[in-house]
């Protein structure tokens, strides 16, 4: 379902959290991975308030796929939770599954903006680099 990305008017009294990068596999060098490649798979971990966001980019024949899971220190329901993605002119909205997981096929752009709406709270990840 294609919808417009919310215009940053959030439900009250919810909180808005800006995601902070905690770990990025693209910065890890091993003997098997000496230099970054523009089309390599990667994983990142973000922290935003009571949430952690585990993201992975996986390259498939049809292009990049962004796979994610929201992890919370508190017991919450993901029943009404949604992911909003904006990549160039494309805007996508999908639900998280009941475990807080999602998967999105991406276009060819180098970056995107991601928002997660969870029980009246919003997690923002702006300028996510895909390459």
């Amino acid at each position: 379902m294609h919808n417009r990305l919310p215009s940053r008017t959030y439900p009250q009294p919810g909180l808005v959290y800006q995601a902070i990068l905690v770990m990025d596999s693209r910065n890890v060098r091993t003997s098997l991975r000496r230099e970054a490649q523009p089309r390599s798979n990667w994983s990142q971990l973000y922290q935003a308030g009571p949430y952690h966001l585990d993201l992975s980019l996986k390259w498939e024949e049809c292009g990049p796929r962004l796979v994610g899971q929201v992890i919370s220190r508190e017991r919450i329901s993901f029943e009404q939770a949604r992911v909003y993605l904006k990549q160039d002119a494309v805007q996508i909205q999908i639900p998280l599954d009941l475990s807080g997981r999602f998967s999105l096929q991406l276009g060819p752009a180098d970056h995107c903006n991601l928002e997660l709406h969870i029980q009246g709270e919003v997690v923002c990840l702006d300028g996510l680099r895909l390459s």
Side-chain angles (χ1 to χ4, degrees):
M1 171 186 285
H2 294 268
N3 288 335
R4 298 192 62 76
L5 194 65
S7 61
R8 300 271 171 139
T9 52
Y10 303 112
Q12 294 297 326
L15 298 173
V16 177
Y17 301 104
Q18 186 65 42
I20 299 168
L21 182 64
V22 175
M23 188 278 306
D24 186 347
S25 70
R26 290 179 289 193
N27 296 330
V28 175
R29 301 287 183 239
T30 67
S31 60
L32 297 175
R33 184 176 166 173
R34 298 196 190 284
E35 59 186 62
Q37 299 173 352
R39 296 189 121 204
S40 60
N41 297 339
W42 54 256
S43 295
Q44 293 180 329
L45 180 65
Y46 290 85
Q47 194 261 326
Y51 306 106
H52 281 85
L53 177 58
D54 184 7
L55 293 178
S56 296
L57 186 78
K58 303 184 182 308
W59 285 91
E60 301 174 342
E61 287 184 24
C62 55
R65 175 173 296 279
L66 185 65
V67 177
Q69 180 173 12
V70 177
I71 304 160
S72 175
R73 291 176 259 177
E74 303 166 2
R75 185 178 171 107
I76 61 168
S77 169
F78 293 104
E79 191 171 334
Q80 299 296 320
R82 303 202 65 79
V83 170
Y84 296 87
L85 174 105
K86 181 178 181 194
Q87 188 180 28
D88 289 336
V90 176
Q91 298 174 5
I92 300 169
Q93 170 189 304
I94 64 165
L96 275 76
D97 72 12
L98 295 178
S99 298
R101 294 184 185 110
F102 64 91
S103 178
L104 293 161
Q105 189 68 47
L106 301 176
D110 289 335
H111 68 282
C112 67
N113 294 328
L114 196 67
E115 287 184 6
L116 295 107
H117 293 227
I118 306 163
Q119 294 184 332
E121 297 180 328
V122 179
V123 172
C124 299
L125 204 164
D126 296 324
L128 176 63
R129 282 186 323 115
L130 302 174
S131 57

